[in-house]
Amino acid sequence: MQNFFTHLRTNIFRGIFAIIPVLLCVIALELLYHLIDKRILAFLNQYIDTKHIPGLGLLILLFILFLIGYIVTNVMGRRILKMFDRITARIPFIREIYLLTRQISDVLGKKGGDVYKKTVLVNYPNANQWSIAFLAGKVKDQTSGKDWYKVYIPMAHPVIGFVYLAEEKSLIDPGWSVQDGFKMVISLGLIVPKAENGFKAFPIQ
């Protein structure tokens, strides 16, 4: 009887874990539909009569974003942005927020979403422990000429974390891609990528 309940419990948990990804996809689609799709169609219905087609609002939003991206890459679009920059530069508080978000957007736009170069292990929080981090580049100390690597150490959620400057000797290359690192962080360590060639000293040429 005990084996039966153990078998029953095991399969119930397997069923739960199997359906979680499906439920998360359904929840994500529901949020997109209610928060974006329905609101865009409701806004358009104030001016034109649009048919209630699920997903139409998202398609319209993507098309608008495509047009904005296309326009700002042209000469006229860049002039409009520069004019907007001059206007916001004269408004206290708004200026700081706009400049910060503009700089972040410019970096993300130029890199095409490929912001981090690789996943690394950084010697943190002490000499006997290593944390997963994402390499964002390096800066040079103008006085000593020494290179410092910019690493982002995520916490329980990738959006929340710390930015550190680390020495080369404090980094290890596990041979994981950025996607592998994010999977390990998001899964709370349950998904561990393979280090096919073993952990290596940094940097890897």
Side-chain angles (χ1 to χ4, degrees):
M1 183 63 70
Q2 184 177 0
N3 290 335
F4 170 76
F5 283 112
T6 301
H7 181 71
L8 181 65
R9 183 182 60 186
T10 301
N11 282 282
I12 288 175
F13 277 107
R14 286 177 179 173
I16 292 173
F17 290 127
I19 202 172
I20 283 176
V22 178
L23 290 177
L24 290 177
C25 290
V26 172
I27 292 172
L29 291 174
E30 282 286 326
L31 288 175
L32 287 174
Y33 177 68
H34 289 287
L35 296 179
I36 300 177
D37 193 75
K38 287 183 67 176
R39 293 189 178 186
I40 291 176
L41 291 180
F43 175 77
L44 292 177
N45 281 327
Q46 297 177 2
Y47 306 97
I48 57 175
D49 186 17
T50 60
K51 294 183 178 180
H52 186 68
I53 303 175
L56 179 61
L58 288 174
L59 290 176
I60 294 174
L61 176 62
L62 292 175
F63 180 71
I64 293 173
L65 292 176
F66 168 77
L67 285 179
I68 294 174
Y70 180 77
I71 291 172
V72 297
T73 55
N74 293 328
V75 176
M76 183 58 67
R78 288 195 293 267
R79 289 179 179 175
I80 295 174
L81 284 178
K82 288 182 179 179
M83 180 180 67
F84 193 75
D85 289 345
R86 289 194 295 269
I87 295 174
T88 55
R90 299 177 181 179
I91 306 175
F93 183 69
I94 298 296
R95 173 181 57 205
E96 284 73 19
I97 297 176
Y98 175 77
L99 289 177
L100 175 61
T101 54
R102 177 67 186 278
Q103 290 173 349
I104 295 174
S105 298
D106 287 343
V107 171
L108 293 175
K110 290 178 181 178
K111 292 182 178 291
D114 189 15
V115 180
Y116 297 114
K117 300 181 182 301
K118 63 174 62 181
T119 298
V120 295
L121 301 179
V122 61
N123 205 179
Y124 174 87
N126 56 56
N128 299 318
Q129 293 179 328
W130 294 84
S131 299
I132 294 177
F134 301 102
L135 181 65
K138 62 182 178 180
V139 294
K140 184 177 289 293
D141 187 337
Q142 298 299 325
T143 303
S144 64
K146 184 178 182 179
D147 287 331
W148 290 85
Y149 290 87
K150 299 180 294 181
V151 294
Y152 175 72
I153 305 175
M155 295 178 64
H157 192 283
V159 178
I160 305 172
F162 306 95
V163 176
Y164 279 88
L165 293 179
E167 295 180 292
E168 183 178 304
K169 64 181 181 181
S170 300
L171 299 176
I172 288 178
D173 188 344
W176 301 339
S177 67
V178 175
Q179 290 77 11
D180 289 335
F182 271 108
K183 287 178 183 178
M184 188 171 180
V185 173
I186 293 173
S187 68
L188 304 181
L190 296 177
I191 300 176
V192 182
K194 294 181 180 179
E196 297 181 356
N197 299 319
F199 292 0
K200 298 180 179 180
F202 194 85
I204 300 298
Q205 300 297 334

